Amino acid sequence: MEAPVRLGRKRPLPVCPNPLFVRWLTEWRDEAASRGRRTQFVFQKALRSLRRYPLPLRSGKEAKILLHFGDGLCQMLDHRLQQHQSSGGDHAPGSSGAKSPAQEGTPAAVQDSSTPVLAQPKAGGSGSYWPARNSGARTVLLLLYRERLNPGGHSFLTKEELLQRCAQEAPGVAPGSARPWPALRSLLNRNLVLRTHQPPRYSLTPEGLELAQKLAKSEGLSSLNVGIEPEDPLGEESEVPRSFSAELGTSEGGVQQPQLELRPGEYKVLLCVDVGETKGAGHRSELIRQLQRLHVTHTVRKLHVGDFVWVAQETRPRDPAKPGELVLDHIVERKRQDDLCSSIIDGRFREQKFRLKRCGLGHRVYLVEQHGSVHNLSLPESTLLQAVTNTQVIDGFFVKHTADIKESAAYLALLTRGLERLYQGQTLRSRPWGIPGDPESGAGPSPNPLCSLLTFKDFNTGAIKNKAQSVREVFARQLVQVRGMSGEKAAALVDRYSTPASLLAAYDACATPKEQEMLLSTVKCGRLQRNLGPALSRTLAQLYCSYSPLT
């Protein structure tokens, strides 16, 4: 007699199948970054490749199948693994002594494998990190902490302000304004410092704030002078002077209260459908009928970015005509295959992705819906697959494929139920535009950045496509149209040359055409601060320096 089939929930996979390898690569990358070595980029590439690999690895040799893992790096991992095992650690690099969040979660946290992760935010690995005395990382943390405690401050500093204050208090740790800053980049990678806006603004994440408080205590707390030696050993608690305690109390008491706060039971999760999804051909209204059939609470309104978002709507508002609404941290862009082809051809595809990444929401879903035969589309199937793959791997979107509009509605209903469970019992607070939320901060559950959300008005106003733009913004949009020019590269160029006039003036100052072609080749771009490159620099020089029509 056959054994009965065992029914039950699927056990969720661990968050990271190779935590030891990830930890060691992170340590090597941060050490190389703190010393200004270029090997940090090698470790960063390998770390990114390893995090995308879903299976556990038993040795460094097995990691050779992954991209950016050479013989030398695999030998380093095997050597480190032998040291770990000889010291009594786990024998499998994919094992970990502590239970993973997926193992400790409640059954309500177990989801369908086709949905994006709707997990509670996890604490980062900053607990064991302690920057050295008189180091750049320690200086930056303390400067940002002092700015946060300043009642008249903004809780953030620009890079120029950081460099100026470092030059005043610790001249030896600040590089030049045009040079990369390994210490600052290391803090960004460790999720202790957050970078927002353009030009960049740097502020402390909750993890960075916790570490900065410990550093301030070890420094004596008298004036937060980053150059002095700590008065007490690291493990001992120092006495807090009255002056600093008063300053801390004033700062904490003077923090601006959130404009809107929704406590458990005072709000409901509501799906907002863009008005464009309900007008036009008959398949549009079919989506609403399917949502009604699945009993999904929804509303139709104009969305300036995305097709579906979720809001927490106040159930007992003071003004029934204008209930308070906070936008949850998830957004969905829906594309039928024929519409996807059209958007790739006319350029809307790149522009929409760029706007989605700047909308202020961290969990972005790209819903691709099949429509008819792929042989009747205006682009080859391989082109569509490549575009969708780039959206997931390079742009960081979660891509979901559905067979028809009925399955799309079922997926939206599944996401709605998941968000209702995720935010059940949570107190939600509004935040102004630019203050980090859950996806950017990576903080722990107390306080919970997952519940620090934008109001619907701020979200929709900030996403207006044709709002009044500055010359700088128009210049950036112009640069993005050049083939090979990503958003990060355009932002780096606009940081150096904020207007076309300033770029043309720099070209006019060049002595030879060759110098014009290489003018932008050394501009540092992105988080890894790589050069723009000669090819793209040559293309831009031809675009802005040619008086005759381009061929």
Side-chain angles (χ1 to χ4, degrees), residues 142 145-146 149 169 216 219 221-226 244 247:
L142 291 173
Y145 182 53
R146 184 164 57 190
L149 295 182
E169 303 190 24
E219 293 285 354
L221 300 177
S222 57
S223 61
L224 282 179
N225 184 356
V226 296
F244 187 82
E247 180 185 358

Side-chain angles (χ1 to χ4, degrees), residues 155 293 368 431 477:
S155 298
R293 182 182 65 85
V368 182
R431 62 177 173 88
R477 291 171 67 93

Side-chain angles (χ1 to χ4, degrees), residues 302-366:
K302 175 64 176 176
L303 299 179
H304 294 295
V305 64
D307 295 321
F308 306 94
V309 296
W310 287 262
V311 298
Q313 188 181 76
E314 198 174 5
T315 54
R316 294 186 295 272
R318 296 179 180 177
D319 184 2
K322 296 181 179 180
E325 291 181 333
L326 297 177
V327 182
L328 305 186
D329 201 36
H330 294 73
I331 185 169
V332 175
E333 174 74 18
R334 172 174 169 260
K335 288 287 185 186
R336 288 197 328 181
Q337 286 187 333
D338 54 345
D339 187 24
L340 179 61
C341 292
S342 301
S343 64
I344 293 175
I345 293 173
D346 60 23
R348 288 183 293 117
F349 180 64
R350 291 182 61 193
E351 184 205 13
Q352 288 174 345
K353 289 195 298 182
F354 181 74
R355 293 176 61 229
L356 282 168
K357 287 192 287 187
R358 296 173 62 89
C359 71
L361 304 183
H363 296 83
R364 300 172 290 270
V365 180
Y366 213 84

Side-chain angles (χ1 to χ4, degrees), residues 243-276:
S243 60
F244 187 82
S245 299
E247 180 185 358
L248 184 60
T250 304
S251 174
E252 290 178 349
V255 175
Q256 184 179 1
Q257 296 298 322
Q259 299 177 355
L260 177 62
E261 179 174 304
L262 301 179
R263 299 182 181 277
E266 297 180 353
Y267 62 89
K268 61 180 179 180
V269 175
L270 188 67
L271 171 63
C272 294
V273 183
D274 182 34
V275 66

Side-chain angles (χ1 to χ4, degrees), residues 132-140 142-143 146 162-175 181 219 224-228:
R133 301 168 184 170
N134 301 322
S135 64
R138 192 185 190 101
T139 304
V140 171
L142 291 173
L143 286 173
R146 184 164 57 190
L162 278 173
L163 288 171
Q164 291 175 2
R165 299 191 185 188
C166 282
Q168 295 173 359
E169 303 190 24
V173 302
W181 198 349
E219 293 285 354
L224 282 179
N225 184 356
V226 296
I228 63 175

Side-chain angles (χ1 to χ4, degrees), residues 20-39:
L20 290 179
F21 283 177
V22 169
R23 187 177 71 190
W24 296 336
L25 285 171
T26 303
E27 291 174 356
W28 294 337
R29 179 201 62 191
D30 294 341
E31 181 182 2
S34 64
R35 299 182 179 180
R37 295 178 178 174
R38 297 189 63 82
T39 51

Side-chain angles (χ1 to χ4, degrees), residues 234-530:
L234 178 63
E236 299 180 7
E237 182 178 357
S238 58
E239 184 180 357
V240 182
R242 295 180 181 178
S243 60
F244 187 82
S245 299
E247 180 185 358
L248 184 60
T250 304
S251 174
E252 290 178 349
V255 175
Q256 184 179 1
Q257 296 298 322
Q259 299 177 355
L260 177 62
E261 179 174 304
L262 301 179
R263 299 182 181 277
E266 297 180 353
Y267 62 89
K268 61 180 179 180
V269 175
L270 188 67
L271 171 63
C272 294
V273 183
D274 182 34
V275 66
E277 295 294 306
T278 62
K279 294 182 179 180
H283 73 277
R284 298 290 187 180
S285 57
E286 176 64 21
L287 176 65
I288 299 299
R289 286 197 293 268
Q290 291 294 333
L291 292 176
Q292 292 172 348
R293 182 182 65 85
L294 295 169
H295 306 290
V296 178
T297 307
H298 65 278
T299 180
V300 178
R301 60 184 67 176
K302 175 64 176 176
L303 299 179
H304 294 295
V305 64
D307 295 321
F308 306 94
V309 296
W310 287 262
V311 298
Q313 188 181 76
E314 198 174 5
T315 54
R316 294 186 295 272
R318 296 179 180 177
D319 184 2
K322 296 181 179 180
E325 291 181 333
L326 297 177
V327 182
L328 305 186
D329 201 36
H330 294 73
I331 185 169
V332 175
E333 174 74 18
R334 172 174 169 260
K335 288 287 185 186
R336 288 197 328 181
Q337 286 187 333
D338 54 345
D339 187 24
L340 179 61
C341 292
S342 301
S343 64
I344 293 175
I345 293 173
D346 60 23
R348 288 183 293 117
F349 180 64
R350 291 182 61 193
E351 184 205 13
Q352 288 174 345
K353 289 195 298 182
F354 181 74
R355 293 176 61 229
L356 282 168
K357 287 192 287 187
R358 296 173 62 89
C359 71
L361 304 183
H363 296 83
R364 300 172 290 270
V365 180
Y366 213 84
L367 181 61
V368 182
E369 185 180 298
Q370 294 182 11
H371 180 69
S373 173
V374 295
H375 303 291
N376 298 329
L377 300 175
S378 55
L379 288 176
E381 183 181 8
S382 59
T383 302
L384 295 183
L385 291 176
Q386 185 64 59
V388 171
T389 302
N390 290 346
T391 301
Q392 182 166 6
V393 176
I394 298 177
D395 298 307
F397 287 51
F398 180 88
V399 177
K400 171 66 179 176
H401 295 269
T402 58
D404 51 27
I405 195 169
K406 185 176 181 180
E407 186 177 342
S408 298
Y411 179 70
L412 292 172
L414 181 65
L415 274 179
T416 304
R417 306 286 186 261
L419 288 170
E420 288 174 347
R421 292 196 302 268
L422 178 65
Y423 286 91
Q424 185 177 7
Q426 301 285 353
T427 299
L428 310 182
R429 297 179 177 86
S430 64
R431 62 177 173 88
W433 189 276
I435 302 301
D438 167 59
E440 299 293 339
S441 66
S446 179
N448 192 349
L450 175 71
C451 303
S452 179
L453 306 170
L454 292 170
T455 63
F456 180 80
K457 180 180 179 181
D458 289 345
F459 162 77
N460 219 23
T461 303
I464 294 177
K465 182 177 180 179
N466 295 322
K467 60 183 178 181
Q469 296 177 329
S470 63
V471 176
R472 177 191 179 95
E473 292 172 332
V474 175
F475 185 33
R477 291 171 67 93
Q478 183 186 66
L479 289 171
V480 172
Q481 303 307 314
V482 178
R483 184 178 181 86
M485 179 68 69
S486 65
E488 287 184 341
K489 294 177 181 178
L493 284 177
V494 173
D495 283 342
R496 179 172 291 191
Y497 304 103
S498 58
T499 63
S502 61
L503 178 60
L504 291 174
Y507 279 130
D508 291 340
C510 296
T512 63
K514 183 67 176 177
E515 188 177 347
Q516 289 180 338
E517 292 181 356
M518 301 303 295
L519 175 66
L520 305 177
S521 60
T522 57
V523 174
K524 303 296 182 182
C525 308
R527 179 166 291 186
L528 297 180
Q529 293 293 292
R530 294 183 174 176

Side-chain angles (χ1 to χ4, degrees), residues 83-213:
Q83 293 179 345
H84 178 72
Q85 293 173 354
S86 61
S87 62
D90 297 322
H91 289 272
S95 62
S96 178
K99 290 185 179 180
S100 66
Q103 292 171 331
E104 295 179 345
T106 60
V110 180
Q111 303 172 17
D112 185 88
S113 59
S114 63
T115 60
V117 179
L118 301 176
Q120 295 289 346
K122 305 178 290 295
S126 63
S128 59
Y129 175 66
W130 189 264
R133 301 168 184 170
N134 301 322
S135 64
R138 192 185 190 101
T139 304
V140 171
L141 287 172
L142 291 173
L143 286 173
L144 291 175
Y145 182 53
R146 184 164 57 190
E147 178 66 20
R148 185 184 180 92
L149 295 182
N150 183 9
H154 302 287
S155 298
F156 66 83
L157 292 173
T158 63
K159 186 176 181 180
E160 290 72 18
E161 292 172 339
L162 278 173
L163 288 171
Q164 291 175 2
R165 299 191 185 188
C166 282
Q168 295 173 359
E169 303 190 24
V173 302
S177 58
R179 296 177 57 190
W181 198 349
L184 184 57
R185 189 159 58 245
S186 175
L187 293 174
L188 290 169
N189 292 333
R190 288 182 179 274
N191 213 18
L192 299 173
V193 171
L194 181 75
R195 179 173 60 186
T196 57
H197 293 77
Q198 285 294 342
R201 300 175 180 178
Y202 297 93
S203 58
L204 291 174
T205 65
E207 287 176 316
L209 177 60
E210 181 182 355
L211 179 58
Q213 289 172 341

